Amino acid sequence: MVDVLDTLLGIGSDSLTWWQMSIRAVLVFIAALLIIQVGNKRIFGKHTAFDIVLGIIYGSILSRAITGNSPFWPTLAAALTLVLLHRFFAFMAYNTSGFFGPFIKGDPVCLIKDGKIQEDELKKHSLTEKDLNEALRSGGVTDAKDVAYGFLERSGDISIVKKDS
């Protein structure tokens, strides 16, 4: 049975056939879905730097399992390890205070306070007034004077809190 599986996956072979790579792709796809279930839904939903880094590395590692550039089973184990590490770091960031959470997930930055644009923060984060105006329009506001707070969120989105009428 092990020999049949090795042949189907091209394990120990110098090159893979199209059908071996196709079988690997199907297995890696199923394994990737199962591994993501071990993680949590935020892995590919929040798009913080913490999540994006995992997504890039995760995809890169799994592609190596499909193309045969790395050993098949250890590569899947490495992908699982990354997802578990992500989950552990998210747990630690949630359950500890101090440096760890902001380091892993970042902090929001106030760009508008009581209708006043915080020019130093825009500059510090390489945002233009056009970027800010786009966020204002998306938030249903045409003038910063109508904004109580505007934040550059950890995800990179700009959120707007309107002043009370």
Side-chain angles (χ1 to χ4, degrees):
M1 181 65 180
V2 172
D3 290 338
V4 171
L5 188 58
D6 286 353
T7 301
L8 287 175
L9 296 175
I11 295 175
S13 169
D14 289 338
S15 63
L16 298 174
T17 64
W18 67 268
W19 55 269
Q20 287 170 324
M21 199 176 287
S22 297
I23 291 170
R24 281 175 173 242
V26 169
L27 289 177
V28 167
F29 180 78
I30 293 167
L33 290 175
L34 293 172
I35 290 169
I36 290 298
Q37 294 301 316
V38 170
N40 56 29
K41 293 185 188 326
R42 74 155 283 143
I43 287 176
F44 294 108
K46 296 292 185 179
H47 303 296
T48 63
F50 174 59
D51 304 318
I52 292 168
V53 167
L54 173 71
I56 292 168
I57 296 172
Y58 188 69
S60 175
I61 285 175
L62 290 177
S63 72
R64 296 178 70 79
I66 294 171
T67 61
N69 291 339
S70 294
F72 188 76
W73 300 114
T75 303
L76 292 182
L80 175 61
T81 301
L82 277 176
V83 169
L84 291 173
L85 181 66
H86 183 274
R87 187 171 183 123
F88 175 71
F89 279 4
F91 172 83
M92 291 299 293
Y94 180 79
N95 289 295
T96 61
S97 60
F99 173 78
F100 195 74
F103 174 73
I104 293 297
K105 297 182 180 182
D107 276 324
V109 175
C110 185
L111 301 176
I112 302 174
K113 185 175 182 180
D114 196 29
K116 294 184 177 89
I117 296 173
Q118 309 298 305
E119 297 288 342
D120 55 329
E121 293 297 339
L122 286 180
K123 185 175 181 180
K124 183 177 174 184
H125 296 281
S126 302
L127 293 169
T128 66
E129 271 200 52
K130 289 181 181 181
D131 296 325
L132 194 56
N133 288 334
E134 179 181 343
L136 290 173
R137 289 189 301 274
S138 293
V141 179
T142 56
D143 193 338
K145 292 177 182 142
D146 298 327
V147 174
Y149 292 98
F151 288 96
L152 175 62
E153 301 294 352
R154 300 178 316 173
S155 65
D157 293 334
I158 298 173
S159 62
I160 302 298
V161 178
K162 298 177 191 176
K163 287 183 179 178
D164 292 332
S165 299

